[in-house]
Amino acid sequence: MPGAMRLSRSVFQLQTLLGRAGRSLGLARGSSTPAPGSMDRGNVISHKDMKVLVDSRNARIIDVRLPGEVANGHIANSVNIPVAEVEEALKMDPETFKMKYGVDKPRMDDGNLIFHCQMGRRGAQATEIAINLGYAKARNYAGGYKEWSEKEVK
């Protein structure tokens, strides 16, 4: 299984590089679906902005790490939905979502829907999934829990 995980990670990295190369060359895609890694800076939130949202409790923060990772620490008021479940979760009806995750399902127009993981990759993947499902304002906290814990956890 570790070999399969490395292969999957390598494929994602290659897709990310190809997406960046195509954008830098100004190439149009034949599909309306963004390429992996195609988020622009508007879909990434800084630590400073993340802190403001966390402190105001005015954000829908989804931690896409595995439950074992979350058990070692998490950002306040975040809900854990592992990246492998994000698409299915966002396709759920609101009642089922609330029963499974204990919070209201994000609205499609939610401007403060933030995804994060440990260091940014899975958060970016989850953000792209959300955007592809119509959550156009979804953002990724690219610094992830690693940056958060270094700057916030005393």
Side-chain angles (χ1 to χ4, degrees), residues 41-98:
R41 287 191 174 104
N43 296 104
V44 177
I45 186 170
S46 69
H47 171 264
K48 179 182 173 185
D49 291 340
M50 181 70 165
K51 179 160 177 52
V52 169
L53 287 174
V54 169
D55 290 348
S56 71
R57 296 181 179 216
N58 191 25
R60 311 282 298 211
I61 304 167
I62 299 179
D63 186 332
V64 299
R65 298 176 298 157
L66 296 171
E69 292 173 280
V70 175
N72 293 323
H74 64 277
I75 297 174
N77 301 313
S78 62
V79 60
N80 180 225
I81 304 175
V83 70
E85 295 177 27
V86 168
E87 184 169 4
E88 177 186 341
L90 293 177
K91 288 180 176 179
M92 288 179 179
D93 65 86
E95 186 176 311
T96 304
F97 186 97
K98 187 164 187 164

Side-chain angles (χ1 to χ4, degrees), residues 9-23:
R9 184 175 300 136
S10 295
V11 169
F12 180 76
Q13 289 170 335
L14 179 60
Q15 289 173 330
T16 300
L17 289 173
L18 290 173
R20 288 183 184 145
R23 281 191 317 284

Side-chain angles (χ1 to χ4, degrees), residues 76-126:
N77 301 313
S78 62
V79 60
N80 180 225
I81 304 175
V83 70
E85 295 177 27
V86 168
E87 184 169 4
E88 177 186 341
L90 293 177
K91 288 180 176 179
M92 288 179 179
D93 65 86
E95 186 176 311
T96 304
F97 186 97
K98 187 164 187 164
M99 284 176 36
K100 181 162 185 171
Y101 299 108
V103 296
D104 290 332
K105 181 180 174 184
R107 297 178 325 276
M108 292 290 232
D109 65 344
D110 195 332
N112 290 326
L113 175 58
I114 313 296
F115 293 90
H116 83 87
C117 59
Q118 185 67 25
M119 294 177 18
R121 283 195 182 147
R122 289 173 289 174
Q125 182 183 0

